[in-house]
Amino acid sequence: MRAAVAADYDGWGYNRSAAGARAARADGFDVTEHLPAALRRAAAADALIVVAVPMPAVDHMLSAIATYAPQCALTDVVSVKAPVAAAVRAHGLADRYVGGHPMAGTSESGWAATDAKLFGDAVWAVGVDEGTRADPWTRVVRLALDCGSVVVPVVAAEHDRAVARISHLPHVLAEALALAGAGGGDLALGLAAGSFRDGTRVAGTAPDLVRAICEPNSTALLEVLDETLTVLATARDSLRDATSLADLVEAGHDARRRYESARRWEITDIRAGDRDWLEHLRAAGERGGVITRLD
Amino acid sequence: MRAAVAADYDGWGYNRSAAGARAARADGFDVTEHLPAALRRAAAADALIVVAVPMPAVDHMLSAIATYAPQCALTDVVSVKAPVAAAVRAHGLADRYVGGHPMAGTSESGWAATDAKLFGDAVWAVGVDEGTRADPWTRVVRLALDCGSVVVPVVAAEHDRAVARISHLPHVLAEALALAGAGGGDLALGLAAGSFRDGTRVAGTAPDLVRAICEPNSTALLEVLDETLTVLATARDSLRDATSLADLVEAGHDARRRYESARRWEITDIRAGDRDWLEHLRAAGERGGVITRLD
């Protein structure tokens, strides 16, 4: 809401926490702790509703939306996408829904951690699943662009497999690394420098939030976690039997270089509502394409 | 050398790379690619020699030092300590040697990556192994302090176990995470944000350097890598069987908080050469104590 209002949107919000709503109001934002009131207002204004709660709270929110504002365009910024889409369908809201996931955040949470510039130069995943309608899709893309992000078009299942690799696994490894460091006591923690600090940063995230991000994506996370256990066990065997980490280190370095040198390219020739636009956007997203503006 | 000279040391250097030596000279530093000349000069000046090469090159350096400057005080900034100490003993140089390891660095290497401020506010591990003599120890500690670091006194074996946890394991996990991300192709790498970027940063380090850092510490690294494989496999089982990461995430978060809240305290009452000074410094280092000045 802070970013949207900074981009000149007429935005208002709901927070279940009275303290959170008060803190936002103290900063001049229009926030209530009364959900029906916020949603009735959204329905009257034909607003775009952005669900920004952890996965365990999504069902409750959708239930209220189905009651008070079922015709509104609807998106979300929940990490995982397929479970949100399933819940949206269960509440009969699929027609107006387009999933979203801005790839930005810190290990902090709460109103005090809000930052209007959080989405600047970020990537914002926006759904192009079958059945997506052009009107709400365009509104969601415009919001992302207005907040300073570029948009990656992606279907829910592919999104969830991708973020298991680049967001959820990093959380799991950061927690394990933090544990390994603390196992070395004050001496090890006192010697820790950049590699440990960076490698454990996201372990500072609130545990409930990490679980709410990772656990709903367990199928995809299990797949890459198993893959990584195999990679690490192979490296362990090589280190034990041949005192060598060559295979892991060379492949890992190549992978990091590929990440560093990846260049986004701009999708310019596909318009919402055109023939096969969803399939074309999905294919472009898979090849590293991003949307940077709407005509 | 850049940091020592910036701290008003009369410093000169050797680099086997003619291009590296030229680049340093172009910046006004006194660097030669002739090792015997640099070492004869060190012997004549009673200099403190700092060996700053990867572990595979240590033996060659020590051999030259034993030939041309065997009486000089000697330290090193190689990551692992017990193998360096063993090599120093093998060359008959143990009497004047004090191991060192500044916990600072980037994923870059070469002269262009030097930075006089690299060691500012860093931790510099300095050896307090049995038999350490007060004179070279004091010179090494003074160099570390003059470069802006605080000093953690630690024996070689404990240092190596600690850095396996907070430096070498981070490298291994970063390589594995980079691989997992690249396994998701352009889509996954394009969606990657802070957690992946930070978690894979050190995978950008030159592969030969990572191997030279980690492989000589294989015993300690194997121990913590096995421990971490168990932690991750347990988390995998819990995610698969109960869709829960609770145990890992809560313990990892506690560990990161312990790291964030660890406070160093100043060792003030132990003087080099005092009765049992090495044992007292070792015990203080284990409890998080650091040396911030010499009287």
Side-chain angles (χ1 to χ4, degrees), chain B residues 215-239:
Chain B
E215 291 172 358
N217 199 23
S218 62
T219 304
L221 180 53
L222 277 168
E223 188 181 319
V224 69
L225 185 49
D226 271 327
E227 191 182 303
T228 300
L229 278 163
T230 302
V231 164
L232 290 173
T234 303
R236 186 262 324 268
D237 294 348
S238 169
L239 186 62

Side-chain angles (χ1 to χ4, degrees), chain B residues 110-204:
Chain B
W111 178 259
T114 57
D115 173 6
K117 296 180 174 155
L118 181 63
F119 308 109
D121 297 321
V123 167
W124 196 311
V126 174
V128 287
D129 297 80
E130 200 180 324
T132 299
R133 290 175 51 205
D135 173 61
W137 184 87
T138 302
R139 290 181 73 176
V140 174
V141 169
R142 183 165 290 129
L143 174 67
L145 298 177
D146 287 341
C147 289
S149 296
V150 299
V151 167
V152 170
V154 60
V155 298
E158 286 177 9
H159 166 278
D160 291 353
R161 281 194 292 270
V163 296
R165 292 176 178 275
I166 53 81
S167 171
H168 305 168
L169 182 65
H171 275 284
V172 168
L173 295 183
E175 309 283 6
L177 179 57
L179 266 177
D186 289 340
L187 178 67
L189 293 179
L191 289 173
S195 63
F196 185 79
R197 184 179 60 241
D198 289 354
T200 60
R201 181 180 60 81
V202 292

Side-chain angles (χ1 to χ4, degrees), chain A residues 16-31:
Chain A
R16 70 167 178 166
S17 152
R22 253 198 317 274
R25 284 196 297 270
D27 279 355
F29 289 85
D30 187 356
V31 175

Side-chain angles (χ1 to χ4, degrees), chain A residues 45-134:
Chain A
D46 192 27
L48 166 63
I49 298 175
V50 182
V51 174
V53 296
M55 188 65 213
V58 164
D59 200 65
H60 170 70
M61 293 300 302
L62 294 177
S63 174
I65 292 165
T67 303
Y68 298 105
Q71 301 306 319
C72 281
L74 176 65
T75 188
D76 73 295
V77 294
V78 181
S79 172
V80 73
K81 294 273 66 70
V84 176
V88 164
R89 278 194 301 275
H91 285 281
L93 297 167
D95 204 35
R96 310 285 292 161
Y97 171 73
V98 179
H101 183 202
M103 307 302 297
T106 72
S107 56
E108 305 299 313
S109 44
W111 178 258
T114 57
D115 174 5
K117 295 181 176 155
L118 181 64
F119 307 109
D121 297 320
V123 166
W124 196 310
V126 174
V128 286
D129 297 81
E130 200 180 325
T132 298
R133 290 176 52 206

